[in-house]
Amino acid sequence: MFSADHLQELFAYQDGALFWKVSRGPNKVVGRCAGGLSSSGYLQVKIGGKRYKAHRLIWVWHGNDLPDGYEVDHINGNALDNRIANLRLATHAQNVRNTSMRKDNTSGAKGVSWSLKAQRWISYVQFEGKKHYVGLFDDFAEAAMAAQRKREDLHGVFARHK
């Protein structure tokens, strides 16, 4: 990875975006927003023939370290929101706690599903590769609130409920 000084020579930062300070080809001209969208939904910037995720560059551009074994997490879960206030260091385990509700969720609440066997709402929370059972509930709102409390207890500041 680059140093903050080197990145500040190449880019200006404004509102979560990097802008070229030096021309480096026909698409990399002074004042133009650097980077493009990757197939995985992240902004990436090509420097010296190699692609880097923009949020990682922005983290370092601001003088922050990026130690081995750590990732830069988007606090609000929006991979395109690269404002420095929305970025934080996280281990991979912490980063995956901040994932959004699965697209195939049918209950509308993270960690809540209908149990055909029990004919009640069941709540659970994933943590460190294990499914933690929270309980069975007659009331959907109670089941959702119980899952939320357990998620906050296990995930701390990395808990994400939607």
Side-chain angles (χ1 to χ4, degrees):
M1 183 59 79
F2 302 97
S3 70
D5 290 339
H6 183 65
L7 291 175
Q8 290 170 6
E9 288 174 11
L10 291 175
F11 305 106
Y13 167 85
Q14 184 179 347
D15 299 326
L18 295 172
F19 297 88
W20 291 103
K21 286 173 82 174
V22 294
S23 290
R24 296 176 65 105
N27 294 322
K28 299 175 182 177
V29 296
V30 174
R32 180 178 252 175
C33 189
L37 196 59
S38 72
S39 60
S40 60
Y42 289 93
L43 289 174
Q44 59 184 12
V45 178
K46 193 172 181 181
I47 306 170
K50 186 172 179 191
R51 298 180 194 280
Y52 298 90
K53 290 181 179 174
H55 61 283
R56 295 170 62 92
L57 295 175
I58 289 168
W59 182 258
V60 174
W61 188 97
H62 280 85
N64 298 307
D65 289 330
L66 188 51
D68 287 341
Y70 282 85
E71 301 173 359
V72 179
D73 175 42
H74 292 86
I75 296 168
N76 67 6
N78 180 350
L80 299 178
D81 184 355
N82 291 322
R83 294 171 299 117
I84 191 64
N86 187 47
L87 303 177
R88 65 181 167 196
L89 273 184
T91 64
H92 180 71
Q94 291 169 325
N95 201 357
V96 297
R97 293 176 198 157
N98 192 22
T99 58
S100 60
M101 186 165 46
R102 291 174 46 115
K103 288 183 180 6
D104 62 352
N105 179 300
T106 56
S107 75
K110 193 172 178 182
V112 177
S113 60
W114 181 253
S115 170
L116 286 173
K117 183 178 178 182
Q119 290 294 298
R120 297 169 76 192
W121 293 102
I122 185 169
S123 293
Y124 53 86
V125 174
Q126 288 285 131
F127 182 69
E128 296 184 348
K130 295 180 184 175
K131 193 180 250 188
H132 293 257
Y133 173 77
V134 178
L136 288 168
F137 301 87
D138 292 320
D139 182 67
F140 172 77
E142 271 185 60
M145 187 56 69
Q148 183 172 326
R149 283 192 301 269
K150 184 68 169 182
R151 192 175 306 107
E152 288 170 353
D153 181 44
L154 293 174
H155 295 185
V157 298
F158 291 91
R160 183 155 180 223
H161 305 297
K162 293 184 180 194

